[in-house]
Amino acid sequence: MTDQQSQTRAMRPTHVATHHDDAKARIDSWWRLPTAAEADKAARGALEVMPWSDGLIQFSVLRSPAEPTLFLQSLWTSATARDHYVHHVASIPGAAIDRRVPDVERDRSLTEIVAVVAHVDTVAEKWTTRRLPVTDGGGVQALVKQQTARLRGEQTPGLVRATLGIGRDQDGNPIEAIVIKEWSDSTHSDVLAYEPFGAITPTA
């Protein structure tokens, strides 16, 4: 299937989720907008322009109620499928967003999922993200081991699930560990939390 054909494949709404049993790789993105209205416009636009691409499982958009900030995440069956999208498809929806909200500030991580720690079987209502930079591959592995042990022992009320990933730059070098936590209720007031805005998944 050509990239042009992939743009026409249908997507359907689904529930926001930042975990899937078949997901091996992600694109984690953080967007900052000048105003709340612009953040809403960017969130709607992201869902409208996200195309089908081979290996895509789900694309979710979450919005902070406290700041004009979005967290966007696509889940992929493999890093190969994700990287194909990044190199051959992503420029199309990216350009469409730039036209709709030219003042958007974007940051992105190409992430491999390395650990998932589930605490309770309930629906998440809020999400928090944490980025832990490292300087070399050995540092990443040590940090992952440390964070995985910490997350498995965490007993914070309301914590549903924690997912740990290794973020890489465009050349594939590990540069950070990313912790995403899902919560069933309100989080601490000093933590920037995101709430579900919308999500889409490829049709069968």
Side-chain angles (χ1 to χ4, degrees), residues 52-166:
W52 179 94
S53 189
D54 189 31
L56 175 64
I57 296 173
Q58 178 162 328
F59 175 64
S60 295
V61 178
L62 300 98
R63 189 192 185 292
S64 168
E67 299 182 7
T69 305
L70 306 178
F71 176 62
L72 308 92
Q73 185 189 80
S74 55
L75 297 173
W76 300 85
T77 55
S78 69
T80 299
R82 178 205 59 199
D83 292 347
H84 173 83
Y85 169 81
V86 168
H87 295 300
H88 301 286
V89 183
S91 61
I92 298 172
I97 290 297
D98 287 340
R99 290 191 295 270
R100 295 186 185 205
V101 282
D103 293 328
V104 61
E105 297 177 11
R106 290 186 277 193
D107 194 10
R108 179 179 74 179
S109 176
L110 306 181
T111 309
E112 271 80 58
I113 301 166
V114 295
V116 179
V117 180
H119 289 269
V120 294
D121 185 16
T122 189
V123 176
E125 297 179 4
K126 295 180 182 293
W127 282 254
T128 59
T129 68
R130 187 181 180 197
R131 307 176 76 177
L132 305 169
V134 293
T135 57
D136 57 73
V140 168
Q141 297 304 325
L143 187 57
V144 165
K145 183 177 181 180
Q146 177 192 60
Q147 289 296 317
T148 301
R150 185 182 66 81
L151 293 171
R152 285 176 176 161
E154 187 168 354
Q155 300 297 324
T156 306
L159 181 60
V160 176
R161 180 186 292 108
T163 305
L164 189 62
I166 296 176

